[in-house]
Amino acid sequence: MADFDTIYELEDEEDEHVVSEEHLPRYCPEPVVMRGAGHITVFGLSNRFDTEFPSVLTGKVAPEEFKTSISRVNACLKKNLPVNVKWLLCGCLCCCCTVGCSLWPVICLNKRTRRSIHKLLEWENNRLYHKLGLHWKLSKRKCESSNMMEYVILIEFLPKYPIFRPD
């Protein structure tokens, strides 16, 4: 019975290395890129995104939820971009007289449109997509066909953490 309360030290083997979970690589698929599908682009922001459901997201999110989210983004673009185009045309016509200052309203309106889409996507993430292991964000990417930049919606897969493994 005397050995019952005795604590023994285990001999450490020098060639055995323990790697913590933080240093293990986590598998995350490549993000899904949703490019603009509209016919008007103002400063890289297209006037709509395609509502076609990508096959990569099958089993992750319902097609109806995906279409609803893209439709909300398209509604925001439909509301804001026609005003931006009108100010762009006005700014281009008056550009010579104002030494380029007439383009500032378009730049500010475009920034406001991007911010509203960022807020909308954050709301969608908090409402639904973070629970499903997805993260939507508006990102600037280089066009495949030219050196121009465009805004795309990136749908990233969040890494899964082993919650059943003890600390």
Side-chain angles (χ1 to χ4, degrees):
M1 259 334 208
D3 292 337
F4 182 73
D5 292 334
T6 307
I7 299 173
Y8 296 103
E9 283 189 34
L10 296 176
E11 296 177 13
D12 293 332
E13 295 181 17
E14 293 180 13
D15 59 338
E16 184 179 319
H17 297 288
V18 178
V19 179
S20 66
E21 286 185 28
E22 296 136 9
H23 302 295
L24 292 176
R26 298 199 187 277
Y27 171 71
C28 280
E30 289 293 318
V32 178
V33 178
M34 299 291 300
R35 296 187 65 218
H39 57 280
I40 297 175
T41 303
V42 179
F43 290 115
L45 193 59
S46 183
N47 67 332
R48 73 177 188 88
F49 288 95
D50 195 12
T51 57
E52 183 182 333
F53 185 72
S55 61
V56 178
L57 296 178
T58 303
K60 289 282 189 183
V61 66
E64 297 81 20
E65 286 290 339
F66 176 82
K67 187 173 182 177
T68 303
S69 299
I70 292 291
S71 297
R72 284 188 182 122
V73 171
N74 285 341
C76 180
L77 289 170
K78 185 178 180 181
K79 184 179 97 177
N80 292 325
L81 275 182
V83 176
N84 293 10
V85 171
K86 290 175 187 172
W87 275 103
L88 180 64
L89 292 175
C90 180
C92 288
L93 290 175
C94 302
C95 188
C96 296
C97 301
T98 61
V99 193
C101 292
S102 59
L103 294 175
W104 277 108
V106 183
I107 294 170
C108 293
L109 286 172
N110 195 42
K111 190 173 184 179
R112 188 175 80 180
T113 303
R114 285 194 324 263
R115 262 196 221 130
S116 64
I117 293 173
H118 278 290
K119 286 183 182 179
L120 175 66
L121 291 177
E122 271 309 307
W123 180 78
E124 289 281 348
N125 283 331
N126 291 332
R127 182 184 69 88
L128 175 69
Y129 292 111
H130 282 174
K131 296 171 189 167
L132 299 175
L134 299 171
H135 180 77
W136 289 41
K137 70 178 184 178
L138 189 68
S139 179
K140 188 186 273 191
R141 288 272 174 109
K142 189 175 180 180
C143 288
E144 297 166 355
S145 58
S146 66
N147 287 336
M148 306 284 281
M149 299 296 279
E150 69 175 342
Y151 286 94
V152 296
I153 294 178
L154 275 183
I155 304 172
E156 298 173 331
F157 296 91
L158 297 176
K160 292 186 179 182
Y161 294 102
I163 59 173
F164 298 117
R165 187 170 247 169
D167 291 338

